[in-house]
C-alpha cells in the first residue's frame, strides 16, 4: 500500500503543477498569443522619415517648371520606398501655359517619382476651360501628364455635367476618354 500512496501523491503533485502551469500561461501569455517578458509589443514603424509642409518641383529639360506638388505632410515608407502624402495638391503643365490642378485627402508618390496616386475626394480642375473632374481615386503619370481612374467620376463643364465609370486622359494633349456607363446633361450657352 505504501507504493500506492506514493503514486497517488505523485499524481496529485503532477496535477497541481499542470494546473499552475495553465494558470501562468493564461494570465501571462494568452492575450498576445506570444511568449514574452515585455507586457506590450510595439509595431516597427514603416516610415523612416516624416516631413511637414512639403513642396516638390520638377523642372523640364529647358529649365522651366514642368509641374509641382505640395502636401501638408509626407512619410517615406521603408517597405517600398514610396512616399505617402496627406492633403496633396498638384499643379501640372505649368510651362506650356495650360495649368491644371489635382487635390485629394491622401496620396502616394511612387519610389521613382513618376506616379502620383490620389485618393479620397479627388478634384481635378482645368484652370483655363473651367472644367472639373471629381472621383475617389486617380492615378497621375507625372512625366507625361496622363491621368486615369477605374472608379465612378463626374466631369463638370460650364454648361453641364457627365457621369462615367472609368476614365483615361492626356491632359497634355487635352484629350479625355470616358470608359463606361457614360451619361451627360448639357444646356446650350
Amino acid at each position: 500500500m505504501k507504493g500506492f500512496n506514493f503514486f497517488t501523491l505523485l499524481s496529485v503533485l503532477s496535477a497541481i503543477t499542470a494546473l499552475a502551469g495553465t494558470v501562468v500561461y493564461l494570465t501571462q501569455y494568452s492575450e498576445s498569443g506570444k511568449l514574452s517578458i515585455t507586457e506590450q509589443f510595439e509595431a516597427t514603424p514603416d516610415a523612416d522619415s516624416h516631413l511637414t509642409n512639403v513642396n516638390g518641383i520638377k523642372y523640364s529639360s529647358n529649365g522651366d517648371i514642368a509641374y509641382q506638388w505640395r502636401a501638408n505632410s509626407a512619410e517615406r515608407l521603408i517597405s517600398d520606398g514610396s512616399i505617402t502624402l496627406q492633403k496633396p495638391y498638384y499643379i501640372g503643365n505649368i510651362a506650356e501655359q495650360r495649368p491644371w490642378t489635382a487635390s485629394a485627402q491622401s496620396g502616394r508618390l511612387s519610389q521613382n517619382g513618376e506616379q502620383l496616386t490620389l485618393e479620397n475626394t479627388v478634384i481635378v480642375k482645368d484652370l483655363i476651360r473651367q472644367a472639373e473632374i471629381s472621383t475617389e481615386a486617380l492615378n497621375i503619370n507625372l512625366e507625361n501628364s496622363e491621368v486615369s481612374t477605374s472608379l465612378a467620376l463626374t466631369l463638370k463643364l460650364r454648361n453641364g455635367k457627365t457621369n462615367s465609370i472609368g476614365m483615361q486622359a492626356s491632359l497634355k494633349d487635352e484629350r479625355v476618354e470616358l470608359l463606361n456607363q457614360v451619361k451627360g446633361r448639357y444646356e446650350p450657352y
Side-chain angles (χ1 to χ4, degrees):
M1 251 347 211
K2 288 194 176 207
F4 182 73
N5 286 337
F6 177 73
F7 181 72
T8 305
L9 179 64
L10 191 60
S11 296
V12 169
L13 287 176
S14 295
I16 291 172
T17 304
L19 183 61
T22 304
V23 168
V24 168
Y25 173 78
L26 291 175
T27 59
Q28 296 296 316
Y29 309 116
S30 66
E31 289 181 24
S32 69
K34 298 179 181 178
L35 298 177
S36 173
I37 297 173
T38 62
E39 291 182 14
Q40 183 178 1
F41 289 96
E42 292 187 29
T44 304
D46 189 28
D48 68 357
S49 57
H50 178 85
L51 304 168
T52 56
N53 298 319
V54 182
N55 291 301
I57 298 174
K58 169 76 175 195
Y59 294 97
S60 63
S61 58
N62 64 3
D64 291 334
I65 296 176
Y67 61 82
Q68 64 185 39
W69 60 268
R70 64 179 181 258
N72 287 1
S73 66
E75 289 186 335
R76 185 179 166 280
L77 302 181
I78 298 168
S79 59
D80 64 2
S82 67
I83 299 171
T84 60
L85 306 169
Q86 293 304 312
K87 298 206 182 243
Y89 183 79
Y90 172 84
I91 303 171
N93 213 354
I94 298 168
E96 295 182 29
Q97 303 299 315
R98 291 183 295 216
W100 59 278
T101 65
S103 62
Q105 295 300 310
S106 60
R108 184 177 294 239
L109 185 62
S110 66
Q111 180 182 15
N112 64 8
E114 294 180 3
Q115 296 289 326
L116 176 61
T117 302
L118 301 176
E119 296 178 329
N120 304 315
T121 317
V122 179
I123 306 291
V124 178
K125 292 183 179 182
D126 179 327
L127 301 178
I128 294 181
R129 291 195 172 70
Q130 299 175 353
E132 179 180 296
I133 297 170
S134 58
T135 186
E136 284 303 309
L138 187 74
N139 299 310
I140 303 173
N141 182 313
L142 299 173
E143 296 303 308
N144 59 18
S145 295
E146 291 182 352
V147 299
S148 64
T149 185
S150 60
L151 301 180
L153 67 101
T154 301
L155 169 63
K156 294 179 187 174
L157 297 169
R158 286 181 284 176
N159 61 333
K161 71 177 184 175
T162 301
N163 296 310
S164 171
I165 305 292
M167 171 196 68
Q168 293 178 336
S170 172
L171 299 175
K172 189 176 188 178
D173 298 333
E174 298 181 8
R175 178 186 46 80
V176 176
E177 180 182 358
L178 303 175
L179 300 177
N180 295 304
Q181 301 177 28
V182 179
K183 297 177 186 173
R185 180 169 176 84
Y186 290 84
E187 301 292 330
Y189 286 68

